[in-house]
Protein backbone atom coordinates (compact mmCIF):
# COMPACT_ATOMS: atom_id res chain seq x y z
CA UNK A 1 0.00 0.00 0.00
CA UNK A 2 1.21 3.50 -0.79
CA UNK A 3 -0.26 5.21 2.28
CA UNK A 4 1.78 4.31 5.36
CA UNK A 5 -0.14 6.55 7.75
CA UNK A 6 -1.39 5.06 10.98
CA UNK A 7 -4.93 6.10 10.10
CA UNK A 8 -4.82 4.23 6.76
CA UNK A 9 -3.26 1.19 8.38
CA UNK A 10 -5.88 1.20 11.13
CA UNK A 11 -8.60 1.20 8.48
CA UNK A 12 -7.13 -1.96 6.98
CA UNK A 13 -6.63 -3.65 10.35
CA UNK A 14 -10.19 -2.95 11.46
CA UNK A 15 -11.49 -4.61 8.28
CA UNK A 16 -10.16 -7.98 9.45
CA UNK A 17 -12.73 -9.48 11.85
CA UNK A 18 -10.17 -11.13 14.10
CA UNK A 19 -12.52 -12.16 16.91
CA UNK A 20 -10.66 -14.59 19.17
CA UNK A 21 -12.86 -17.53 18.13
CA UNK A 22 -11.81 -17.01 14.49
CA UNK A 23 -8.54 -17.06 12.57
CA UNK A 24 -6.22 -14.07 12.41
CA UNK A 25 -4.22 -15.35 9.45
CA UNK A 26 -5.57 -12.86 6.89
CA UNK A 27 -4.54 -9.96 9.10
CA UNK A 28 -1.14 -11.53 9.78
CA UNK A 29 -0.64 -12.08 6.04
CA UNK A 30 -1.42 -8.41 5.42
CA UNK A 31 1.10 -7.30 8.06
CA UNK A 32 3.75 -9.69 6.77
CA UNK A 33 3.25 -8.47 3.20
CA UNK A 34 3.43 -4.86 4.38
CA UNK A 35 6.72 -5.50 6.19
CA UNK A 36 8.13 -7.47 3.28
CA UNK A 37 7.38 -4.52 1.01
CA UNK A 38 9.55 -2.40 3.28
CA UNK A 39 12.36 -4.96 3.25
CA UNK A 40 11.65 -6.30 6.75
CA UNK A 41 11.67 -10.05 7.25
CA UNK A 42 9.27 -11.59 9.75
CA UNK A 43 8.62 -15.02 11.18
CA UNK A 44 5.40 -16.67 12.25
CA UNK A 45 4.61 -18.86 15.24
CA UNK A 46 1.44 -20.88 14.62
CA UNK A 47 -1.02 -22.53 16.95
CA UNK A 48 -1.29 -26.33 16.82
CA UNK A 49 -4.11 -26.18 14.25
CA UNK A 50 -2.24 -23.60 12.12
CA UNK A 51 -5.34 -21.43 12.10
CA UNK A 52 -3.70 -18.55 13.97
CA UNK A 53 -0.23 -17.09 14.18
CA UNK A 54 2.01 -14.71 16.08
CA UNK A 55 4.35 -12.48 14.08
CA UNK A 56 7.84 -11.43 15.13
CA UNK A 57 10.18 -9.11 13.25
CA UNK A 58 13.37 -7.18 13.98
CA UNK A 59 14.48 -3.81 12.61
CA UNK A 60 18.11 -2.87 13.21
CA UNK A 61 21.12 -4.85 14.39
CA UNK A 62 20.60 -8.52 15.23
CA UNK A 63 23.64 -9.02 17.42
CA UNK A 64 21.97 -7.53 20.51
CA UNK A 65 18.62 -7.40 22.22
CA UNK A 66 16.26 -4.53 21.59
CA UNK A 67 12.91 -3.05 22.48
CA UNK A 68 9.79 -5.14 21.82
CA UNK A 69 6.68 -3.34 20.64
CA UNK A 70 3.97 -5.82 21.52
CA UNK A 71 0.28 -5.97 20.69
CA UNK A 72 -2.47 -8.54 20.29
CA UNK A 73 -4.35 -8.95 17.03
CA UNK A 74 -7.55 -10.53 18.37
CA UNK A 75 -10.65 -8.60 19.40
CA UNK A 76 -13.73 -9.41 21.45
CA UNK A 77 -17.04 -10.31 19.74
CA UNK A 78 -19.71 -7.83 18.73
CA UNK A 79 -22.55 -10.32 19.25
CA UNK A 80 -25.53 -8.80 21.04
CA UNK A 81 -24.08 -5.29 20.96
CA UNK A 82 -25.96 -2.39 19.39
CA UNK A 83 -23.51 -0.60 17.13
CA UNK A 84 -24.49 2.52 15.20
CA UNK A 85 -21.65 1.89 12.70
CA UNK A 86 -20.24 -1.19 11.00
CA UNK A 87 -17.82 -2.56 13.64
CA UNK A 88 -15.46 -3.90 10.99
CA UNK A 89 -15.31 -0.78 8.86
CA UNK A 90 -13.46 2.26 10.19
CA UNK A 91 -15.77 5.24 10.62
CA UNK A 92 -14.42 8.70 11.44
CA UNK A 93 -16.74 11.13 13.17
CA UNK A 94 -16.09 14.18 15.35
CA UNK A 95 -12.42 13.39 15.83
CA UNK A 96 -13.06 9.76 16.71
CA UNK A 97 -12.16 6.58 14.81
CA UNK A 98 -14.85 3.96 15.39
CA UNK A 99 -14.45 0.22 14.89
CA UNK A 100 -13.96 -3.01 16.82
CA UNK A 101 -10.41 -3.06 18.12
CA UNK A 102 -9.71 0.61 17.43
CA UNK A 103 -8.77 1.14 21.09
CA UNK A 104 -8.07 -2.46 22.09
CA UNK A 105 -5.64 -2.54 20.40
CA UNK A 106 -5.34 -2.17 16.65
CA UNK A 107 -4.69 1.56 17.00
CA UNK A 108 -1.35 0.79 18.62
CA UNK A 109 -0.54 -1.88 16.03
CA UNK A 110 -1.31 0.61 13.25
CA UNK A 111 0.95 3.18 14.85
CA UNK A 112 3.77 0.65 15.19
CA UNK A 113 3.46 -0.33 11.53
CA UNK A 114 3.35 3.31 10.47
CA UNK A 115 6.58 3.90 12.41
CA UNK A 116 8.50 1.17 10.54
CA UNK A 117 9.62 3.38 7.61
CA UNK A 118 10.97 5.89 10.12
CA UNK A 119 12.82 3.18 12.03
CA UNK A 120 14.35 2.00 8.74
CA UNK A 121 15.59 5.48 7.85
CA UNK A 122 17.55 5.64 11.10
CA UNK A 123 20.80 3.89 11.91
CA UNK A 124 19.48 2.17 15.00
CA UNK A 125 22.07 1.20 17.59
CA UNK A 126 19.41 -0.70 19.49
CA UNK A 127 16.96 -2.80 17.47
CA UNK A 128 13.18 -2.62 17.47
CA UNK A 129 11.34 -5.94 17.71
CA UNK A 130 7.72 -6.20 16.60
CA UNK A 131 5.64 -8.88 18.32
CA UNK A 132 1.97 -9.31 17.43
CA UNK A 133 0.08 -12.15 19.09
CA UNK A 134 -3.22 -14.03 18.88
CA UNK A 135 -5.76 -15.03 21.55
CA UNK A 136 -4.85 -12.48 24.21
CA UNK A 137 -8.51 -11.85 24.91
CA UNK A 138 -9.11 -15.44 25.99
CA UNK A 139 -6.37 -15.67 28.59
CA UNK A 140 -3.12 -14.49 26.97
CA UNK A 141 -2.87 -17.84 25.21
CA UNK A 142 -1.20 -17.14 21.90
CA UNK A 143 1.95 -15.27 22.88
CA UNK A 144 3.34 -18.17 24.92
CA UNK A 145 4.93 -20.25 22.10
CA UNK A 146 6.57 -17.12 20.69
CA UNK A 147 8.04 -16.23 24.08
CA UNK A 148 9.26 -19.78 24.56
CA UNK A 149 11.22 -19.47 21.32
CA UNK A 150 12.63 -16.03 22.15
CA UNK A 151 14.00 -17.38 25.43
CA UNK A 152 16.20 -19.80 23.47
CA UNK A 153 17.90 -17.11 21.42
CA UNK A 154 21.35 -15.70 22.04
CA UNK A 155 20.11 -12.12 21.98
CA UNK A 156 16.79 -11.95 23.77
CA UNK A 157 14.91 -8.63 23.80
CA UNK A 158 15.94 -6.21 26.56
CA UNK A 159 12.60 -4.53 27.22
CA UNK A 160 8.97 -4.71 26.12
CA UNK A 161 6.40 -1.97 25.58
CA UNK A 162 2.86 -3.35 25.38
CA UNK A 163 0.51 -0.87 23.74
CA UNK A 164 -2.72 -1.64 25.57
CA UNK A 165 -4.91 1.47 25.87
CA UNK A 166 -3.74 3.62 28.79
CA UNK A 167 -4.44 7.04 27.22
CA UNK A 168 -0.64 7.04 26.73
CA UNK A 169 -0.11 7.27 30.47
CA UNK A 170 2.86 5.25 31.79
CA UNK A 171 1.78 2.02 33.47
CA UNK A 172 4.01 -0.37 35.38
CA UNK A 173 1.55 -2.79 36.94
CA UNK A 174 -1.65 -4.78 36.79
CA UNK A 175 -3.22 -7.74 38.53
CA UNK A 176 -2.87 -11.32 37.42
CA UNK A 177 -5.79 -13.61 36.63
CA UNK A 178 -6.77 -17.20 37.32
CA UNK A 179 -9.95 -18.63 35.78
CA UNK A 180 -11.35 -21.93 37.11
CA UNK A 181 -14.27 -24.21 36.23
CA UNK A 182 -16.16 -26.21 38.86
CA UNK A 183 -18.27 -29.20 37.88
CA UNK A 184 -20.59 -30.72 40.46
CA UNK A 185 -21.92 -34.24 39.81
CA UNK A 186 -24.89 -34.89 42.03
CA UNK A 187 -27.63 -37.53 41.93
CA UNK A 188 -31.03 -36.97 40.29
CA UNK A 189 -34.40 -38.04 41.61
CA UNK A 190 -38.00 -36.84 41.62
CA UNK A 191 -38.25 -33.55 43.50
CA UNK A 192 -40.90 -35.06 45.75
CA UNK A 193 -38.09 -37.22 47.17
CA UNK A 194 -35.45 -34.49 47.23
CA UNK A 195 -33.65 -35.70 50.38
CA UNK A 196 -32.82 -38.96 48.57
CA UNK A 197 -31.00 -37.13 45.78
CA UNK A 198 -27.90 -34.90 45.75
CA UNK A 199 -28.79 -31.45 44.47
CA UNK A 200 -25.83 -30.32 42.35
CA UNK A 201 -27.06 -26.72 42.21
CA UNK A 202 -27.26 -26.45 45.97
CA UNK A 203 -23.76 -27.81 46.43
CA UNK A 204 -22.48 -25.43 43.76
CA UNK A 205 -24.18 -22.63 45.68
CA UNK A 206 -22.31 -23.63 48.82
CA UNK A 207 -19.05 -23.43 46.88
CA UNK A 208 -19.96 -20.01 45.51
CA UNK A 209 -20.80 -18.80 49.00
CA UNK A 210 -17.40 -20.03 50.20
CA UNK A 211 -15.72 -18.15 47.34
CA UNK A 212 -17.53 -15.00 48.45
CA UNK A 213 -16.23 -15.51 51.98
CA UNK A 214 -12.69 -15.94 50.65
CA UNK A 215 -13.09 -12.77 48.59
CA UNK A 216 -14.24 -10.86 51.68
CA UNK A 217 -11.16 -12.02 53.56
CA UNK A 218 -8.91 -10.75 50.75
CA UNK A 219 -10.60 -7.35 50.89
CA UNK A 220 -9.52 -6.70 54.49
CA UNK A 221 -7.42 -3.52 54.97
CA UNK A 222 -4.20 -5.41 55.72
CA UNK A 223 -4.20 -6.69 52.13
CA UNK A 224 -4.68 -3.29 50.47
CA UNK A 225 -2.31 -1.69 47.98
CA UNK A 226 -3.43 1.83 47.06
CA UNK A 227 -1.75 1.64 43.64
CA UNK A 228 -4.59 -0.59 42.40
CA UNK A 229 -8.33 -0.14 41.95
CA UNK A 230 -9.85 -1.98 43.71
CA UNK A 231 -6.85 -2.10 46.07
CA UNK A 232 -7.03 -5.84 46.81
CA UNK A 233 -7.32 -9.22 45.10
CA UNK A 234 -10.86 -10.11 44.06
CA UNK A 235 -12.90 -13.29 43.51
CA UNK A 236 -16.06 -13.48 41.45
CA UNK A 237 -18.33 -16.09 39.85
CA UNK A 238 -19.26 -15.18 36.30
CA UNK A 239 -21.03 -18.16 34.68
CA UNK A 240 -23.33 -20.87 36.07
CA UNK A 241 -25.56 -23.50 34.49
CA UNK A 242 -27.43 -26.54 35.76
CA UNK A 243 -30.76 -28.27 36.12
CA UNK A 244 -33.29 -29.59 33.61
CA UNK A 245 -36.72 -29.19 35.21
CA UNK A 246 -38.11 -27.90 38.49
CA UNK A 247 -39.46 -31.31 39.47
CA UNK A 248 -36.10 -33.07 39.04
CA UNK A 249 -33.32 -32.81 41.60
CA UNK A 250 -30.45 -31.60 39.39
CA UNK A 251 -27.60 -34.06 38.88
CA UNK A 252 -25.24 -31.58 37.19
CA UNK A 253 -24.13 -28.01 37.81
CA UNK A 254 -21.16 -26.13 36.43
CA UNK A 255 -19.84 -22.67 37.18
CA UNK A 256 -16.76 -20.59 36.39
CA UNK A 257 -14.99 -18.21 38.73
CA UNK A 258 -11.98 -15.98 38.47
CA UNK A 259 -9.38 -14.48 40.78
CA UNK A 260 -7.85 -11.10 39.98
CA UNK A 261 -4.63 -11.32 41.95
CA UNK A 262 -2.44 -8.53 43.26
CA UNK A 263 1.29 -8.82 42.50
CA UNK A 264 2.78 -11.21 45.02
CA UNK A 265 -0.50 -12.96 45.79
CA UNK A 266 -0.82 -16.62 44.78
CA UNK A 267 -4.17 -16.87 42.99
CA UNK A 268 -4.07 -20.66 43.26
CA UNK A 269 -4.34 -20.30 47.04
CA UNK A 270 -8.01 -19.40 46.49
CA UNK A 271 -8.57 -22.58 44.49
CA UNK A 272 -6.73 -24.56 47.15
CA UNK A 273 -8.92 -23.14 49.93
CA UNK A 274 -12.00 -24.02 47.92
CA UNK A 275 -10.69 -27.54 47.28
CA UNK A 276 -10.08 -28.03 51.01
CA UNK A 277 -13.71 -27.05 51.67
CA UNK A 278 -14.87 -29.51 49.00
CA UNK A 279 -12.75 -32.37 50.36
CA UNK A 280 -13.42 -31.78 54.04
CA UNK A 281 -17.10 -30.85 54.05
CA UNK A 282 -18.99 -31.19 50.77
CA UNK A 283 -17.88 -34.50 49.31
CA UNK A 284 -18.41 -36.46 52.55
CA UNK A 285 -21.98 -35.12 52.77
CA UNK A 286 -22.70 -35.85 49.12
CA UNK A 287 -21.26 -39.35 49.19
CA UNK A 288 -23.14 -40.27 52.33
CA UNK A 289 -26.24 -40.08 50.10
CA UNK A 290 -24.78 -41.30 46.80
CA UNK A 291 -21.19 -42.69 46.65
CA UNK A 292 -20.50 -41.85 42.99
CA UNK A 293 -21.09 -38.10 43.33
CA UNK A 294 -18.11 -35.83 42.72
CA UNK A 295 -16.80 -32.27 42.40
CA UNK A 296 -14.03 -31.35 39.97
CA UNK A 297 -12.25 -27.99 40.07
CA UNK A 298 -10.03 -27.39 37.03
CA UNK A 299 -8.12 -24.37 35.66
CA UNK A 300 -9.25 -22.67 32.45
CA UNK A 301 -6.49 -20.12 31.96
CA UNK A 302 -4.17 -17.87 33.91
CA UNK A 303 -1.64 -15.11 33.47
CA UNK A 304 0.64 -13.48 36.02
CA UNK A 305 0.49 -9.98 37.45
CA UNK A 306 2.87 -7.22 36.35
CA UNK A 307 4.85 -5.14 38.83
CA UNK A 308 7.78 -3.35 37.17
CA UNK A 309 10.01 -1.31 39.45
CA UNK A 310 9.85 2.49 39.25
CA UNK A 311 13.63 2.69 39.04
CA UNK A 312 14.08 0.04 36.32
CA UNK A 313 15.49 0.71 32.86
CA UNK A 314 12.06 -0.07 31.43
CA UNK A 315 10.42 2.55 33.64
CA UNK A 316 13.04 5.16 32.79
CA UNK A 317 12.55 4.53 29.07
CA UNK A 318 8.79 4.87 29.44
CA UNK A 319 9.15 8.10 31.40
CA UNK A 320 11.33 9.50 28.62
CA UNK A 321 8.87 8.47 25.91
CA UNK A 322 5.78 9.83 27.68
CA UNK A 323 7.36 12.82 29.39
CA UNK A 324 5.97 11.62 32.71
CA UNK A 325 7.13 9.55 35.65
CA UNK A 326 3.65 9.52 37.20
CA UNK A 327 3.57 5.76 36.92
CA UNK A 328 0.26 4.02 37.45
CA UNK A 329 -1.51 0.67 37.23
CA UNK A 330 -4.50 -0.60 35.25
CA UNK A 331 -7.37 -2.81 36.32
CA UNK A 332 -7.28 -5.01 33.22
CA UNK A 333 -4.64 -7.63 32.47
CA UNK A 334 -2.05 -7.85 29.70
CA UNK A 335 0.60 -10.23 28.42
CA UNK A 336 3.15 -8.24 30.43
CA UNK A 337 3.61 -10.77 33.21
CA UNK A 338 4.38 -13.47 30.65
CA UNK A 339 7.09 -11.30 29.07
CA UNK A 340 8.58 -10.76 32.52
CA UNK A 341 8.53 -14.51 33.17
CA UNK A 342 10.45 -14.88 29.90
CA UNK A 343 13.10 -12.50 31.25
CA UNK A 344 11.93 -9.38 29.39
CA UNK A 345 11.12 -6.39 31.67
CA UNK A 346 7.83 -4.88 30.55
CA UNK A 347 5.80 -1.68 30.73
CA UNK A 348 2.38 -0.78 29.33
CA UNK A 349 1.46 2.34 27.39
CA UNK A 350 -0.80 2.80 24.40
CA UNK A 351 -3.35 5.05 22.75
CA UNK A 352 -7.02 5.13 23.70
CA UNK A 353 -8.93 4.18 26.79
CA UNK A 354 -10.13 0.79 27.98
CA UNK A 355 -13.33 2.62 28.92
CA UNK A 356 -14.09 2.23 25.20
CA UNK A 357 -12.81 -1.32 24.84
CA UNK A 358 -15.23 -4.25 24.55
CA UNK A 359 -18.19 -1.87 24.09
CA UNK A 360 -20.42 -1.07 21.11
CA UNK A 361 -19.16 1.90 19.09
CA UNK A 362 -15.62 1.39 20.39
CA UNK A 363 -13.44 4.29 19.31
CA UNK A 364 -9.96 5.76 19.38
CA UNK A 365 -9.53 9.53 19.13
CA UNK A 366 -7.54 10.93 16.24
CA UNK A 367 -5.55 12.91 18.79
CA UNK A 368 -4.50 9.78 20.70
CA UNK A 369 -3.38 8.05 17.52
CA UNK A 370 -1.28 11.08 16.55
CA UNK A 371 0.29 11.20 20.01
CA UNK A 372 1.21 7.52 19.77
CA UNK A 373 2.84 8.19 16.38
CA UNK A 374 4.88 10.95 18.04
CA UNK A 375 5.87 8.68 20.93
CA UNK A 376 7.22 6.05 18.54
CA UNK A 377 9.07 8.74 16.64
CA UNK A 378 10.78 9.67 19.92
CA UNK A 379 11.58 6.01 20.48
CA UNK A 380 13.29 5.78 17.09
CA UNK A 381 15.35 8.88 17.82
CA UNK A 382 16.37 7.47 21.18
CA UNK A 383 17.36 4.07 19.79
CA UNK A 384 19.47 5.68 17.11
CA UNK A 385 21.78 6.94 19.84
CA UNK A 386 21.24 4.39 22.63
CA UNK A 387 23.94 1.77 23.04
Amino acid sequence: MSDYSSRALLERLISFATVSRDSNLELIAFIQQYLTGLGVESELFYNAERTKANLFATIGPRDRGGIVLSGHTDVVPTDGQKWTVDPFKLTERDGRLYGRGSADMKGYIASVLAAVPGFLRRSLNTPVHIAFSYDEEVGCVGVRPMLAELQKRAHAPRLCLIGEPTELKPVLGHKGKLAMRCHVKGAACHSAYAPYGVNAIQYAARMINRLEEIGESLAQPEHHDARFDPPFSTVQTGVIKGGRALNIVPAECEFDFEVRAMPGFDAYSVANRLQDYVDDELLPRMRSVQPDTDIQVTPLNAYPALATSNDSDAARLLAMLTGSDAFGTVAFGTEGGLFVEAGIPTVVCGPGSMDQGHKPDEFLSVEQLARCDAMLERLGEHLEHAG
Side-chain angles (χ1 to χ4, degrees), residues 122-136:
R122 297 182 181 276
S123 298
L124 299 180
N125 285 316
T126 300
V128 172
H129 306 293
I130 295 173
F132 296 148
S133 64
Y134 64 87
D135 281 2
E136 187 271 351

Side-chain angles (χ1 to χ4, degrees), residues 199-384:
N199 190 311
I201 291 177
Q202 290 181 352
Y203 277 93
R206 291 187 175 101
M207 294 174 68
I208 293 168
N209 286 339
R210 179 51 59 97
L211 286 170
E212 184 179 11
E213 292 171 359
I214 295 172
E216 289 173 352
S217 72
L218 298 178
Q220 295 304 305
E222 61 266 27
H223 302 304
H224 284 201
D225 184 335
R227 295 175 301 168
F228 293 86
D229 181 21
F232 47 83
S233 299
T234 59
V235 184
Q236 76 101 22
T237 301
V239 178
I240 186 168
K241 57 184 177 181
R244 296 182 179 275
L246 185 57
N247 61 353
I248 302 174
V249 171
E252 306 286 340
C253 187
E254 186 176 87
F255 68 92
D256 298 344
F257 74 91
E258 69 169 22
V259 183
R260 296 281 178 165
M262 300 283 282
F265 176 72
D266 180 9
Y268 284 95
S269 67
V270 173
N272 292 339
R273 290 172 66 179
L274 181 65
Q275 188 67 57
D276 289 343
Y277 174 63
V278 167
D279 293 340
D280 296 342
E281 299 190 35
L282 299 189
L283 283 177
R285 293 177 61 179
M286 294 168 64
R287 289 172 177 170
S288 69
V289 178
Q290 180 58 254
D292 66 350
T293 55
D294 197 17
I295 296 175
Q296 295 292 327
V297 183
T298 56
L300 294 173
N301 57 68
Y303 57 76
L306 177 68
T308 300
S309 171
N310 286 27
D311 61 0
S312 64
D313 289 343
R316 284 190 284 271
L317 174 66
L318 187 57
M320 183 277 296
L321 292 177
T322 61
S324 171
D325 60 1
F327 301 121
T329 66
V330 288
F332 57 86
T334 77
E335 297 167 333
L338 294 171
F339 275 91
V340 171
E341 286 188 342
I344 305 169
T346 298
V347 293
V348 183
C349 183
S353 169
M354 194 58 83
D355 287 345
Q356 306 306 324
H358 299 203
K359 293 181 179 179
D361 287 355
E362 177 182 351
F363 71 85
L364 171 68
S365 74
V366 173
E367 178 265 344
Q368 282 277 302
L369 188 61
R371 284 182 56 199
C372 188
D373 291 345
M375 181 181 74
L376 295 177
E377 176 69 19
R378 289 193 294 274
L379 176 63
E381 182 179 358
H382 172 74
L383 296 182
E384 189 171 14

Side-chain angles (χ1 to χ4, degrees), residues 76-221:
V76 297
T78 61
D79 308 52
Q81 295 185 342
K82 295 183 178 180
W83 286 68
T84 64
V85 297
D86 185 339
F88 298 109
K89 180 179 180 181
L90 190 70
T91 300
E92 183 171 353
R93 188 171 62 206
D94 300 326
R96 295 174 173 180
L97 301 167
Y98 291 88
R100 174 54 88 222
S102 54
D104 183 22
M105 56 182 298
K106 290 181 177 179
Y108 176 73
I109 293 176
S111 195
V112 169
L113 293 175
V116 171
F119 293 146
L120 291 169
R121 286 193 294 269
R122 297 182 181 276
S123 298
L124 299 180
N125 285 316
T126 300
V128 172
H129 306 293
I130 295 173
F132 296 148
S133 64
Y134 64 87
D135 281 2
E136 187 271 351
E137 295 287 5
V138 291
C140 299
V141 175
V143 74
R144 297 170 197 253
M146 178 165 59
L147 289 174
E149 176 60 31
L150 294 181
Q151 286 181 281
K152 301 174 186 176
R153 300 190 174 181
H155 303 289
R158 286 169 40 193
L159 303 172
C160 176
L161 171 59
I162 296 180
E164 291 276 7
T166 69
E167 299 178 283
L168 293 168
K169 297 174 182 176
V171 165
L172 301 185
H174 62 70
K175 296 177 183 178
K177 178 183 175 180
L178 170 65
M180 304 287 292
R181 174 161 293 164
C182 303
H183 182 84
V184 182
K185 177 188 176 185
C189 69
H190 194 291
S191 62
Y193 302 96
Y196 304 128
V198 177
N199 190 311
I201 291 177
Q202 290 181 352
Y203 277 93
R206 291 187 175 101
M207 294 174 68
I208 293 168
N209 286 339
R210 179 51 59 97
L211 286 170
E212 184 179 11
E213 292 171 359
I214 295 172
E216 289 173 352
S217 72
L218 298 178
Q220 295 304 305

Side-chain angles (χ1 to χ4, degrees), residues 22-36:
D22 300 321
S23 173
N24 73 337
L25 291 184
E26 289 188 6
L27 178 146
I28 289 294
F30 165 74
I31 293 175
Q32 190 168 46
Q33 183 179 23
Y34 169 81
L35 292 174
T36 299

